[in-house]
């Protein structure tokens, strides 16, 4: 089976630069964005120890502004709506 090679898109670098600019862990920013995203029904986090888990837990009390939420959302294109889901076709 051939190896899958993903094209560098810059999303990770841009998100990391944003988190550095804000002075928070990239994981905190990512989990805060996912938790606020209305298309996501649950946020799964994990870690092998408390030190790894803490940035994810910090996201639950992080106040993610609308501007930062939108900035993160612009980092990658929106996926095409699923054609097999009825809620995608409701008016």
């Amino acid at each position: 089976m051939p190896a899958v090679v993903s094209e560098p898109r810059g999303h990770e670098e841009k998100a990391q630069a944003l988190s550095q600019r804000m002075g928070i862990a990239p994981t905190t920013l990512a989990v805060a964005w996912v938790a606020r995203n209305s298309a996501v029904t649950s946020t799964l986090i994990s870690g092998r120890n408390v030190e790894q888990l803490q940035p994810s837990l910090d996201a639950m009390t992080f106040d993610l502004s609308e501007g930062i939420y939108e900035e993160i959302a612009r980092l990658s294109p929106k996926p095409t709506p699923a054609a097999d889901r009825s809620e995608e076709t409701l008016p």
Side-chain angles (χ1 to χ4, degrees):
M1 185 177 293
V4 176
V5 179
S6 63
E7 296 285 322
R9 295 183 227 162
H11 303 103
E12 297 88 1
E13 293 86 2
K14 290 176 183 176
Q16 195 144 23
L18 177 59
S19 68
Q20 285 177 346
R21 188 175 82 218
M22 297 177 68
I24 62 169
T27 303
T28 303
L29 188 58
V31 173
W33 185 85
V34 169
R36 185 168 174 194
N37 189 324
S38 63
V40 178
T41 57
S42 65
T43 305
L44 301 176
I45 60 173
S46 68
R48 293 185 182 147
N49 55 48
V50 175
E51 288 177 1
Q52 289 181 350
L53 192 57
Q54 194 58 56
S56 295
L57 295 174
D58 291 343
M60 298 302 105
T61 57
F62 179 72
D63 185 24
L64 185 66
S65 72
E66 184 66 27
I68 297 298
Y69 177 86
E70 292 298 326
E71 189 172 345
I72 296 168
R74 286 191 301 270
L75 292 179
S76 63
K78 274 191 161 178
T80 306
D84 63 340
R85 292 179 22 201
S86 62
E87 68 268 17
E88 298 286 342
T89 59
L90 295 176

